[in-house]
Structures are given as C-alpha cells and as structure tokens.
Amino acid sequence: MLKIGDIEMKNRVVLAPMAGVCNPAFRLIAKEFGTGLVCAEMVSDKAILHGNKRTMEMLFVDEREKPLSLQIFGGDRESLVEAAKVVDRQTNADIIDINMGCPVPKVTKCDAGARWLLDPSKIYEMVSAVVEAVDKPVTVKMRIGWDDEHVYAVENAQAVERAGGSAVSVHGRTREQLYTGKANWDIIKDVKQAVSIPVIGNGDVFSPEDARRMLDHTGVDGVMIGRGALGNPWMLYRTIHYLTTGELLPEPDAAEKIRIAIVHMDRLIALKGESTAVREMRKHLAWYLKGLPGAARVKDVIMEETDRDNMVRILGEYVRSLEDAGETVAH
C-alpha cells in the first residue's frame, strides 16, 4: 500500500493535481470511484497570503474526499512557508504538496514550479523550511528536469528526502517537453532506486494496463493519473480493479458517461453557481463525450449553452438517439 507520513491510502492510485479540473466536484467523483489519494489543483502562496476569496474557496476540503493533498506553489521561501502554515492549520487537508513541475511561463517566471528543477540546493532549502514549519507530511511533485541537458531528477528527489519530504511524485517529462513526446519511465525508475521515501510515477498512464506496466517497470509505490482521467473517472476505478484483481472491466456506455457528467455538473453548480459552472463544464463534457458516436455534433451545440436544464435536455436527447440507433455500447 501507499503510505505518506502516517497517512495510509487504501490503494496505489493517485489523481494528479490538474489546474482547472481538480476542484471538489471532480475530486469527489474520483474518490467515489475508489481513488486512494486525490490532489487538489495548485494554489499560489501569494494568493493564500492575500486571503483572496476565490483562493480560500480553493482550499476547501470536503470530509468525503480525504485523504487529500493540497498543492501550493511559489518561488519565495518566506511566503511559501507562511502559505504552508495556513494549509497546515486552517484546512483539513492531509498532505501539503509543493509544485516543482508546473511548466507554464507565468509560474516559472516567478521562480516557481519547474524553475526549481535546475537547483537541487534550492529544493533542499525550500522543502526543509516548509517541513520545519508544519505538522502535516510535505511532498513534492516534480518533472524529471528542465530540458534534456538539465535532468537532475535523482539529485532533486534526494534533496527532497534529505529535507524531510515524505514522498515525491515524478512526471517523466522535462519542462521543455510540456505534454508532448514520451514520458521517460527509466528516469522515474532511477529516482525510485535512489531514495527510500515513497515515489509516485506520473506520465503516459492512459489505461489500466499502462498503470501495471509503470509499476512493473519502475517499481514505484503509486501511480498518478492525470489527463487519462479527464472526463473519464472510470479510468481510476478500472485501474484500481485491474491492479487488485488482474481483471479488466469494460468501458462505461454512453448513458453511464452522461449520468456521471451531469452529477459532475450539478456539483460544480453547487460550488460556483449555474452560469460559471455550466460554462466551465463545457470542456469537461467534451472530454466525457470523447470517442462516443456522433459526439462532434453534440459538442458544437453544448459549446453555446449556459443553462443547466438545457444542457441536461441536449445530453438526454443525444443518449436517446444512440439508444434508438442501438449504439449505446461502449467503444
């Protein structure tokens, strides 16, 4: 089993902290689908310290989501430590995760996210300062390196361990790769062999079989699933089942996909209000519909929609049209 500090997960499957995706609406679905650990989307240390309303809402943790990891990012030691203290004392998250993998320029420009990958000594300094200031276990999510010339994954993970970090998640791509090319599982394996804290592997896990292959290839303690779960929380459930029993469950049919999509939307509405939630839900619905027959037609219609009941009606008609055509089976 995966154990981080004194927090024990019931399996080795972890939902990655995806920005714009991992709010309580989706995290709760992931948890209901059995996920061992869910990670919240990253929050800026400065925003936490400014106490901005939207940021404080992002720190909300529903008891049913636990164990949960809240991710923070920042480039300045003092503000990162202060923000970690807020997460430690004012939220019921179980784990504090520090982002060292975010590749987007607006994050790396402020010396945060993947920028740290160039300097193991900065990683040691930042992580040890946070570890000393909080009671909750501290983990780090990182990429293997900045670019092909600067791959310090092993040194960086060892710095996390020396600093008192409780686990490290490694995405097998460099910052320069963003989400292109292939994830390098060999380097994840090197990290696993170089440290004694738990290592969670991330990158190119799009099926339960991928998860099994990653575990076998790298020896990691947990598998983190990110883009593979977009509009597809069944991927989490099917992976857990496959890793536990070796049995591959079938993909859900269209009716089941749409049923969960509507649950997701309604939870988002409860969080953010109808007009914001329905707009935000459009991208999720595009993911839920992916690969279903005639999905392109429906996507065009829902991209204009701002009303919850209309959205439900359009999706319902779509499922009925598939049933009439005898096409509800999963593809």
Side-chain angles (χ1 to χ4, degrees):
M1 277 310 120
L2 175 60
K3 192 175 182 193
I4 296 175
D6 50 3
I7 314 290
E8 206 163 328
M9 319 310 152
K10 56 182 185 189
N11 56 57
R12 304 160 79 178
V13 175
V14 181
L15 175 69
M18 292 176 284
V21 173
C22 292
N23 51 45
F26 186 66
R27 297 192 313 245
L28 194 50
I29 289 172
K31 188 56 88 168
E32 288 163 348
F33 278 65
T35 312
L37 175 66
V38 295
C39 302
E41 55 188 320
M42 64 175 192
V43 186
S44 137
D45 57 352
K46 300 273 196 292
I48 293 174
L49 298 181
H50 290 147
N52 131 346
K53 180 174 176 290
R54 193 173 149 266
T55 303
M56 289 338 221
E57 286 165 3
M58 286 170 80
L59 298 182
F60 169 75
V61 179
D62 185 314
E63 275 299 313
R64 295 170 294 174
E65 300 177 71
K66 290 160 71 68
L68 174 131
S69 161
L70 263 181
Q71 190 183 66
I72 57 177
F73 73 93
D76 169 67
R77 185 169 77 177
E78 209 169 302
S79 56
L80 194 72
V81 166
E82 288 309 311
K85 285 184 187 168
V86 172
V87 175
D88 192 46
R89 288 161 207 174
Q90 296 174 32
T91 78
N92 56 348
D94 301 278
I95 294 163
I96 300 170
D97 188 58
I98 303 174
N99 179 299
M100 291 186 203
C102 182
V104 303
K106 79 169 190 204
V107 172
T108 55
K109 250 199 341 263
C110 14
D111 210 16
R115 183 47 97 178
W116 295 20
L117 299 171
L118 292 163
D119 188 356
S121 62
K122 170 157 186 172
I123 291 178
Y124 174 78
E125 178 200 325
M126 300 287 266
V127 176
S128 57
V130 172
V131 169
E132 276 166 36
V134 301
D135 293 328
K136 294 179 175 172
V138 176
T139 60
V140 166
K141 178 161 198 296
M142 64 183 201
R143 286 176 172 246
I144 54 172
W146 181 259
D147 55 23
D148 289 343
E149 272 62 70
H150 303 86
V151 174
Y152 307 142
V154 166
E155 297 86 334
N156 290 340
Q158 287 171 330
V160 170
E161 179 172 41
R162 272 203 324 280
S166 294
V168 61
S169 307
V170 186
H171 180 158
R173 285 183 173 81
T174 62
R175 185 268 163 190
E176 195 179 59
Q177 274 182 285
L178 299 174
Y179 297 96
T180 62
K182 268 185 67 136
N184 187 326
W185 289 3
D186 291 335
I187 293 176
I188 299 177
K189 179 181 184 172
D190 294 343
V191 170
K192 174 60 195 159
Q193 289 172 346
V195 296
S196 57
I197 53 174
V199 176
I200 298 165
N202 176 218
D204 292 349
V205 178
F206 291 104
S207 69
E209 299 96 319
D210 289 342
R212 177 79 271 162
R213 274 195 297 277
M214 177 184 268
L215 285 166
D216 293 345
H217 184 90
T218 61
V220 287
D221 304 274
V223 175
M224 184 175 272
I225 296 171
R227 289 173 299 153
L230 294 175
N232 187 11
W234 298 270
M235 163 61 185
L236 301 161
Y237 175 74
R238 293 172 68 240
T239 299
I240 294 157
H241 188 81
Y242 182 68
L243 293 179
T244 316
T245 66
E247 178 198 12
L248 204 50
L249 295 170
E251 293 269 7
D253 63 12
E256 168 66 1
K257 284 191 164 183
I258 298 305
R259 183 180 76 78
I260 294 296
I262 292 169
V263 168
H264 187 167
M265 176 166 68
D266 286 340
R267 286 182 178 165
L268 214 47
I269 290 170
L271 272 181
K272 302 188 173 199
E274 183 169 7
S275 77
T276 306
V278 173
R279 277 190 185 81
E280 196 174 299
M281 198 59 204
R282 294 169 185 168
K283 66 178 181 195
H284 291 280
L285 284 165
W287 291 323
Y288 278 102
L289 289 162
K290 200 176 162 195
L292 293 174
R297 274 196 328 272
V298 199
K299 279 183 205 167
D300 290 343
V301 183
I302 59 177
M303 284 308 162
E304 303 301 311
E305 206 39 75
T306 54
D307 177 87
R308 183 254 176 215
D309 293 346
N310 278 345
M311 198 70 110
V312 171
R313 180 182 52 75
I314 293 161
L315 294 168
E317 283 166 4
Y318 166 65
V319 171
R320 279 191 297 282
S321 74
L322 291 185
E323 285 167 348
D324 295 346
E327 277 188 319
T328 50
V329 242
H331 286 253

